[in-house]
Each structure stands twice: as C-alpha cells, then as structure tokens.
Amino acid sequence: MELLSTPDGFIPNYKCHIQNNLIAVIGGPSSIEFLDMATIMTAYKFVQVAYSSAPETNSTMQSHFFYWMLPKVDHQYHGLLQLFLHFGWTWIGILYLNVGNIAENLLRNVIPMFSRSGICFEFIEKISNGFLSEDEKTMHASYNILSVVLKSTTKIVMFLGGFQSVLNLRALLRISEYNDMPYNPKVWFMTAEVDFSSVPFQRYWDLNFIHGSMTLAIHSKQVSAFQKFVQMRSPVLDKEDGFLIQFWQQMFNCLLQSSIADKEDDNICTGEEKLETLPASVFETSMTAHSYSIYNAVYAIAHALHTMYYFQGQQRTMMRENLLSQQSWMLHRFLQSISFNNSAGEKIYFDQNGELLGGLDIINWITSSNQTFLRKIVGKIDPWATTNKHLIIYEHDVVWPSLFNQEQPVSLCNEKCNPGYRKAKIEGQSFCCYNCTRCPEGKITNQIDLDDCFQCSEDEYPNNKQDLCMAKDISYLAYEEPLGTTLVTLALVLSFITILVLGIFRKYHNTPIIKANNRSLSYTLLLSLLLSFLCSLLFIGQPMKVTCLLRQTSFGMIFTVAVSCMLAKTITVVFAFMATKPGSRMRTWVGKTLSLSIVLSCSFIQFLLCTVWLATSPPFPDMDNHSFISEIIVECNEGSVVMFYSVLSFMGFLAIVSFIAAFLARKLPDTFQETKSITFSMLIFCSVWLSFVPAYMSTKGKYMVAVEIFSLLASSTGLLACVFSPKCYIIIMRPHLNKKEHLIKRII
C-alpha cells in the first residue's frame, strides 16, 4: 500500500509531490501471498514477477499481468513421479505444511496421478505452522504425526511446503532426538519452493537429517563475480545499509559497537568478519536457485524497459517518467516477447502463459560435520523435453543417507514378485501390498511384479522355473533316432526274408507242396507281405503331403489283399474237401476262379473305401502343439476319422471271418496242414490288431506311429512265419516229404 501512496503520507490511491514511479513488482517466494497482494496490484496493471511457481488456479485476468520464474508446480510433481519410478519406489509417504492450496492440489492432482502410475502412500500427514507452540494439544498432535512418519516402513518421504518449511521439519525431527523415538531411515524429497533455511536457535543443530536428501531447484548457473561481491559486503563500508547491520549481528552472533553502549562487551563485532567463514547452514555466499530466479527477474524487467525506451524513441526524461507513470501497463507487451542471454550465458524468455521456460535441477544434499553442506546437481528434469529425455539422473553421483551404507534404498510395501510368480492382492490393503503366488502350470511371468501370468505362444513352452518361454522341439519318428533306425532295420530284414521265401517258392515252383496250396494265392500273399514290410517305411521320417496320402491307404489296401488271400486259402480248402464227396456240386467252385473272386471282391471294397476317403477328407501333414509341453509333434492328420476306422474295421472284419473259417476247418484232412497254419496265423493277426487299438489310442506323437509300425510288422511276420515257415522247412530240411508218392500215401 505504501508503494501506491505518497512517501511519508499513507494515503491509498493518492500520490503527490516528488514521487518515484513504480514500474514492476518482484515478489515471492510464496505464490499464495503474492497473489493476495496481486489483488490490489492487478487493478493498476503493474508488471508482477514472482520467483515462485504458478499456482494451479491462475485466472485469465491475472495471467496477463503475471510472470513466473519457476515451472508450474504440477511439472515438479510429475518430475518427482518420474524420479520415483526410475528408482522403482512405489511405497512412499507425504508430509506437508498447511500452506496455501497444497492440500487441495494433493487431493485433486498429485495423489490420483501417482496412483495411476502404481505408487501408493503409506501415510499422508499434515503439520501446521504453529506446531512449535507450547500448547499441549498441538505438541501432542505433532508428536503423534512424527511417530507415524518415523515408524513407517517407507524409505521415501515427500516434504511439501513453503520457502522456509525446512524450519518446521528440522524442529519436528528435533523432537525425536529428545524422546529417543525409533527411527527408520528416510530420504526426503522436496519441491523447488522449499529451500534450506534456519533461525538463530537452530544454528548448532545437527544437519544430518538432510544428508542424502534431494530437492528440486530451478536450473541455475553461478553468476560471474557474484560470490566475490557478496564477500566484499561489510557494515563498515556500507554504514547506511540498516539491513546489513542487522544481518551482520545475526550471522556472527555479536553486536556492532555502534549499536551498544557498553564498549567493553566481549561479544562485539568488528565489522571485519568474513562471510565466507560462516558455515553454509548459517549463510551461503554462492547464488542459490531462488536468488538466481530473482536475478533473472530483475534483468528481464530491465531488458523489457530498455526495449520499451528504444521503441518510444529519444524523449526528454520528464516526458518518459510521465509516460511510465500513466502507461506502465505498456511494459507487459515488451516483457511477453523478451528474450536475452544473462551474464551466466543462459537464455531467458517466457511462454504465452508468462512462465519461464526452463528446466529443473535435482539437488543432492551432502552435509559435513562442520555444520556445512554441499548442493550437488545429480540430475535434470525438463518438462518440455520429449518423453525419453524428460528425466536425466546420474545415479553414480548420488549420495544416499549414511544409514543406507551408500546403497540405493528400496521402498516397497513388500518384496517384489520374481519371474515365475504373480501378484495376489491382500484383502483390505493398498494395491501396492500383495503376496506372491506361483504361476499355474503352463503359464509364466518373465518380469518382476506382473499382475497375472500368461501362456507362451504355441511353438514355445515354460521352463521349470516358469520364468522363460523356450522353443519347442520338432518331434517325429526320424530315421536317425534309435527307435526309427531299429524299425527300419527290422522292416528291411523282414523284407529280405520275404524275398528269400519268394525265391525258394519260385525255385521249387513245380513241387507238390507248392502246387497243393494254390501257388497263385501263395505268390500273391508273399508279394503283399513284402509290400507291407516296405509300407512301414512310409511311416518313418518327417510327414509330407505325399507320405500322408499314401501311408494309411497303402497299408489298408495291402493288408486287405493279404487277409483276403488267407480267407481264399481257407475257403478253397473247405470247398476242396466238400468236393471230394460223391455227387457234390462244389467241384464247379474249386479252382482259381473262386480264390481270385474272393481276393478281387474284398480288395475292391477296400479300394472304394480308400477312394472315398481320399476324395472327401484326405490325410494331410499337421502339427500338434498341445499333446506334449516341450514338443511340437509333426504328424499326419487322418482327415476323416470315420473313414480311417472304416478301413481298419473292414480289414478286421476280413481277419475275423478268415480266423473263424480256418478254426472250423482246422481238423479237415489236409496233406500239409494248411488250415492249422492259417488258424495260428490269423490268431496272431487278430491278437496284434486287437491290442493295437487301445495302444494306438493311448499314445501320442512318434510313439503312436511306432505302435502302428510295430503292429504292422508283427502281424505280417505272424502270417509269414505261420503260413510259409512249415513249407520252407519241408522244402529245405525234409525234401523227401515233398514228393507226389508221399502226398498220395497220406491221402490214402
């Protein structure tokens, strides 16, 4: 109000006589108090520059006349959030001084923003400005708040308040020293509004509470010669500076001789004391961030004023003063567009909202035993940078509180869930507090603290720790593996034996034992057995389109021919015996025509089934990702399961009919006991394939293929052994039995 009145005459809104013209007002560091004064200042349209952050609620009217030397406080909270997330801190506390609209901003913006990013609060406590009073109720409330803060498990505490709020924090922590309260170590984090300050009675208090803590500060540089200028200040040289005299006496805890009557007082200031000898907790000779903001504010106004003078042209001094007194609002237009480099070499300019475009430094406080400290820059926050450059932190330069043994603290509600585990919520507690539960079988987590487990892709499977997806092996019955090699060798050996038997039959083609049992059926049966042994090779190796089309259909056709030959042999023997009876009409049926008809008709039916199968839903190569956890089975999908089992069923029907016929005819007088051999061979055949069905259904992958190959080889070997081994034995070992005389003798 005095600024708006005549000197020495407090008359609001009235100025007369010689007067100084008010051009601009620089205020701070509290934005709330500055806005209170601005209620009057704005009416006069004075330029108002605050070395504080713009409040959240900055009206349109005020924004035209206000300029802010610190980034908006929301940018600072966002920077702190990024810092916490960078270090992995999700469990923090908030202690704030009831200043301005801090509480409102916390509830409206800060807490929701932090919560959305996965950060929880163990406590949010408020201390009042008057908690140092001797009022018992206030002291008791302060003690309870301190107890909550110091006993909390979090290692990270945001302390929010005004410029001199550290006074309150320092005093509050002093209570714990007097009462020996349990103290869990904390790292204090503060916004740029808060700076270190103290009062005389705190002069000798320990500074260790702030060691390792961090504060945001407007980005600043040391101004050339500023420190030297401060160190040259002296009440002896600046006798008319009343403020300097009071300051000097307070800093050095003494009295200047001109201020006391007793000249013999021991505690007398000479005025020659050196400011640089004071510990930093009492006075800092270097320019702090707040001082740097004031410095830039003064020069911004000076540059704007200079530009306005230049714009107005060369005018007489009185005319300029009159112009300024009446049109000081014109300075706004020049300040809005001002841009200059200060003496530290930094560019200073404002955005359209009147906020200084500048970043923030992350200050790490390092204290020493001689009541001094160092402000060490360990990072930067640039609210206007791209996302990946918003935060820069030099982790190796950070000094942590002594109680953490120079190791980065961990601030979590509980230990993180390792890969292979997932978070399980605890009823009634914050979402940052949880138990760790093992992932269910078949699922994994490959990162720390995942909310849920997930399945690997179809071509991968979880490892034993369930923290990694591993590529599945491609599995099929290969020629190179022992099982495949064994089956191939067995198939080739049996094929060679079949060829050997076929050679023996060909050599002794005209002997009675071969003639007596229908040579054509024997040769057809031997050829089908040879093909059946070779057919097993189609089942080995990686399934291809051609092999999938051929393997089951070839197997069905070849075995149908073999079984129909056995049926034809049995029926031929039965009809031959019945034809020997006098007057029997069966003689017309005995011969090659009957056996050929049986073989062709049965084979034709199977051929039709296979043709329909291939025409409607043919087999094709497929991959089974689910039968085995660690393998992908490359197999032949049968296409139509109905047609597959139809082919097998028809073949089984022929085998059962052949077995029944041979069993009923086993006692007929047969020279070389053909019916008995057929009975045993079909018994083996049926037993093998009846066992095949459950074995085939209960296995997967290459073992399923191996079961089918084994059944194929076993049944074919049974036919070869039972039908042809007795004949080969007689031909090779008992040739005297392979004569016509012996045959006639046995018939008689």
Side-chain angles (χ1 to χ4, degrees):
M1 293 296 292
E2 289 180 353
L3 288 173
L4 303 174
S5 304
T6 301
D8 301 325
F10 185 65
I11 306 173
N13 205 31
Y14 180 78
K15 299 176 71 173
C16 60
H17 307 295
I18 299 174
Q19 55 190 336
N20 294 322
N21 292 311
L22 183 64
I23 298 300
V25 178
I26 300 175
S30 171
S31 61
I32 300 301
E33 294 172 0
F34 187 61
L35 288 175
D36 290 340
M37 292 186 289
T39 304
I40 297 174
M41 294 291 183
T42 302
Y44 293 89
K45 301 181 180 179
F46 288 119
V47 169
Q48 299 172 73
V49 183
Y51 53 99
S52 61
S53 300
E56 181 192 3
T57 56
N58 190 15
S59 68
T60 305
M61 179 181 177
Q62 290 173 346
S63 64
H64 291 306
F65 304 100
F66 274 69
Y67 300 87
W68 308 92
M69 303 307 295
L70 271 68
K72 188 176 292 186
V73 71
D74 289 345
H75 294 317
Q76 300 182 45
Y77 288 133
H78 185 72
L80 287 174
L81 172 61
Q82 297 301 315
L83 188 64
F84 295 159
L85 294 177
H86 173 80
F87 286 113
W89 298 326
T90 60
W91 189 240
I92 68 173
I94 293 181
L95 181 65
Y96 68 95
L97 202 62
N98 191 20
V99 176
N101 63 344
I102 288 180
E104 180 184 355
N105 196 27
L106 277 175
L107 293 174
R108 182 185 299 176
N109 297 324
V110 179
I111 295 175
M113 178 175 64
F114 277 52
S115 298
R116 286 193 299 269
S117 298
I119 292 181
C120 302
F121 302 94
E122 184 175 4
F123 63 85
I124 301 175
E125 295 291 341
K126 177 183 71 175
I127 56 175
S128 62
N129 288 320
F131 82 96
L132 292 175
S133 67
E134 297 181 358
D135 179 72
E136 183 178 352
K137 184 178 180 181
T138 304
M139 290 295 294
H140 182 70
S142 301
Y143 183 86
N144 291 336
I145 292 172
L146 184 63
S147 178
V148 170
V149 173
L150 297 184
K151 292 180 181 179
S152 62
T153 59
T154 180
K155 307 295 190 301
I156 309 301
V157 180
M158 280 203 307
F159 178 69
L160 310 175
F163 179 72
Q164 295 183 323
S165 298
V166 173
L167 292 173
N168 301 70
L169 176 63
R170 200 175 180 190
L172 186 65
L173 294 176
R174 188 74 170 176
I175 298 175
S176 66
E177 298 177 14
Y178 286 126
N179 293 275
D180 292 327
M181 295 178 64
Y183 181 77
N184 291 325
K186 312 293 179 189
V187 182
W188 300 92
F189 284 82
M190 291 164 272
T191 57
E193 281 76 17
V194 182
D195 202 352
F196 182 85
S197 57
S198 64
V199 290
F201 70 84
Q202 294 178 332
R203 185 184 188 109
Y204 301 105
W205 288 7
D206 187 13
L207 288 177
N208 194 50
F209 80 98
I210 204 172
H211 179 72
S213 296
M214 293 190 189
T215 307
L216 298 184
I218 185 70
H219 176 65
S220 61
K221 287 186 176 181
Q222 286 301 316
V223 176
S224 176
F226 174 79
Q227 193 168 13
K228 183 179 179 181
F229 167 77
V230 171
Q231 292 172 355
M232 290 174 60
R233 302 289 298 200
S234 169
V236 176
L237 301 177
D238 302 286
K239 295 180 180 180
E240 295 182 1
D241 191 340
F243 167 77
L244 187 59
I245 295 173
Q246 295 180 15
F247 164 79
W248 203 269
Q249 293 179 147
Q250 184 175 343
M251 290 300 100
F252 291 100
N253 196 22
C254 62
L255 295 174
L256 289 166
Q257 290 184 354
S258 59
S259 303
I260 58 174
D262 188 1
K263 305 294 183 180
E264 298 180 357
D265 196 311
D266 292 335
N267 196 20
I268 297 177
C269 301
T270 64
E272 300 296 332
E273 292 83 3
K274 300 297 182 181
L275 289 173
E276 58 266 28
T277 62
L278 293 171
S281 60
V282 177
F283 181 73
E284 296 177 76
T285 57
S286 60
M287 181 175 281
T288 64
H290 280 86
S291 298
Y292 187 73
S293 298
I294 300 170
Y295 169 82
N296 286 329
V298 172
Y299 271 88
I301 294 173
H303 276 276
L305 188 61
H306 176 77
T307 304
M308 189 176 72
Y309 275 146
Y310 181 80
F311 181 77
Q312 294 292 339
Q314 300 297 325
Q315 300 182 30
R316 288 181 299 139
T317 304
M318 289 301 295
M319 290 179 64
R320 269 201 300 270
E321 290 179 356
N322 184 57
L323 177 67
L324 289 174
S325 65
Q326 296 180 9
Q327 297 181 339
S328 59
W329 56 269
M330 294 178 62
L331 190 62
H332 289 286
R333 181 159 58 94
F334 296 95
L335 190 58
Q336 286 174 349
S337 58
I338 197 68
S339 177
F340 66 95
N341 290 334
N342 62 14
S343 60
E346 288 202 313
K347 190 173 184 179
I348 306 299
Y349 60 100
F350 298 95
D351 66 4
Q352 67 274 13
N353 297 320
E355 297 177 33
L356 181 70
L357 290 175
L360 295 163
D361 290 334
I362 302 174
I363 304 298
N364 188 203
W365 294 81
I366 303 173
T367 63
S368 58
S369 57
N370 61 350
Q371 289 297 94
T372 189
F373 55 75
L374 171 66
R375 301 172 188 252
K376 184 178 182 181
I377 299 177
V378 294
K380 297 178 181 179
I381 295 173
D382 188 352
W384 293 273
T386 56
T387 304
N388 57 342
K389 295 182 179 179
H390 185 84
L391 170 69
I392 299 175
I393 184 74
Y394 314 118
E395 295 185 40
H396 299 294
D397 294 338
V398 176
V399 175
W400 302 108
S402 304
L403 293 175
F404 293 118
N405 298 321
Q406 194 43 40
E407 292 185 0
Q408 178 187 319
V410 177
S411 190
L412 303 168
C413 181
N414 47 257
E415 292 295 325
K416 291 185 176 182
C417 294
N418 293 322
Y421 293 82
R422 66 175 180 85
K423 295 194 293 187
K425 293 183 66 175
I426 301 176
E427 193 69 28
Q429 294 195 23
S430 169
F431 67 86
C432 290
C433 304
Y434 47 81
N435 291 323
C436 295
T437 305
R438 188 80 179 180
C439 286
E441 186 176 354
K443 292 187 176 183
I444 72 157
T445 52
N446 56 2
Q447 296 179 20
I448 293 175
D449 268 358
L450 287 184
D451 293 323
D452 201 3
C453 305
F454 61 90
Q455 289 184 328
C456 297
S457 61
E458 289 192 350
D459 57 347
E460 294 178 326
Y461 71 99
N463 61 351
N464 292 334
K465 294 182 179 180
Q466 293 181 271
D467 60 358
L468 181 66
C469 287
M470 303 178 67
K472 290 183 178 181
D473 296 326
I474 302 298
S475 175
Y476 58 88
L477 187 58
Y479 290 101
E480 297 82 9
E481 62 180 294
L483 181 58
T485 303
T486 301
L487 292 175
V488 168
T489 303
L490 185 59
L492 293 177
V493 169
L494 292 174
S495 299
F496 176 76
I497 293 174
T498 306
I499 293 173
L500 187 62
V501 172
L502 189 59
I504 292 173
F505 266 58
R506 183 60 186 164
K507 183 177 180 180
Y508 297 96
H509 179 71
N510 293 316
T511 58
I513 195 170
I514 295 177
K515 288 181 177 181
N517 297 114
N518 197 327
R519 287 180 294 186
S520 299
L521 286 177
S522 297
Y523 287 135
T524 304
L525 180 58
L526 282 171
L527 287 173
S528 63
L529 290 176
L530 175 62
L531 292 175
S532 68
F533 290 133
L534 296 176
C535 177
S536 62
L537 301 179
L538 292 173
F539 290 83
I540 303 174
Q542 184 172 353
M544 308 295 288
K545 186 175 182 179
V546 175
T547 55
C548 287
L549 288 173
L550 292 178
R551 60 166 58 171
Q552 297 294 359
T553 53
S554 299
F555 157 69
M557 285 299 303
I558 292 169
F559 263 73
T560 298
V561 172
V563 175
S564 60
C565 286
M566 299 297 291
L567 180 60
K569 275 179 171 288
T570 305
I571 293 176
T572 300
V573 171
V574 173
F575 277 29
F577 175 75
M578 294 175 66
T580 58
K581 296 180 180 180
S584 176
R585 297 181 180 180
M586 292 296 177
R587 295 186 180 187
T588 57
W589 293 94
V590 177
K592 294 182 179 181
T593 304
L594 176 62
S595 59
L596 183 61
S597 300
I598 294 173
V599 173
L600 290 178
S601 59
C602 294
S603 301
F604 180 72
I605 295 173
Q606 189 69 289
F607 175 77
L608 288 177
L609 290 174
C610 292
T611 302
V612 173
W613 184 9
L614 294 177
T616 56
S617 183
F620 58 90
D622 196 11
M623 290 189 178
D624 181 5
N625 297 306
H626 308 292
S627 295
F628 293 97
I629 295 176
S630 60
E631 294 180 356
I632 297 176
I633 302 170
V634 183
E635 62 182 4
C636 285
N637 190 309
E638 307 305 344
S640 175
V641 178
V642 174
M643 294 306 301
F644 171 65
Y645 283 108
S646 296
V647 169
L648 290 182
S649 299
F650 180 71
M651 188 176 64
F653 169 74
L654 291 180
I656 292 173
V657 171
S658 181
F659 170 71
I660 293 173
F663 180 78
L664 295 176
R666 70 187 185 283
K667 294 184 179 181
L668 293 178
D670 183 12
T671 305
F672 298 103
Q673 299 182 343
E674 183 80 10
T675 54
K676 291 185 177 61
S677 298
I678 294 173
T679 302
F680 280 113
S681 65
M682 295 313 298
L683 179 61
I684 294 173
F685 187 92
C686 292
S687 300
V688 168
W689 287 104
L690 286 175
S691 303
F692 160 78
V693 174
Y696 185 81
M697 297 295 292
S698 60
T699 53
K700 296 290 183 181
K702 60 184 178 182
Y703 300 105
M704 177 187 287
V705 178
V707 166
E708 188 168 358
I709 295 173
F710 178 79
S711 300
L712 189 154
L713 295 178
S715 58
S716 299
T717 303
L719 294 179
L720 180 65
C722 292
V723 175
F724 294 101
S725 59
K727 297 177 176 61
C728 291
Y729 175 77
I730 292 173
I731 292 172
I732 303 300
M733 305 301 296
R734 299 292 182 89
H736 63 279
L737 298 179
N738 190 14
K739 293 182 179 179
K740 188 175 181 180
E741 295 81 8
H742 178 71
L743 178 62
I744 295 172
K745 182 180 178 181
R746 289 199 62 178
I747 293 174
I748 296 172

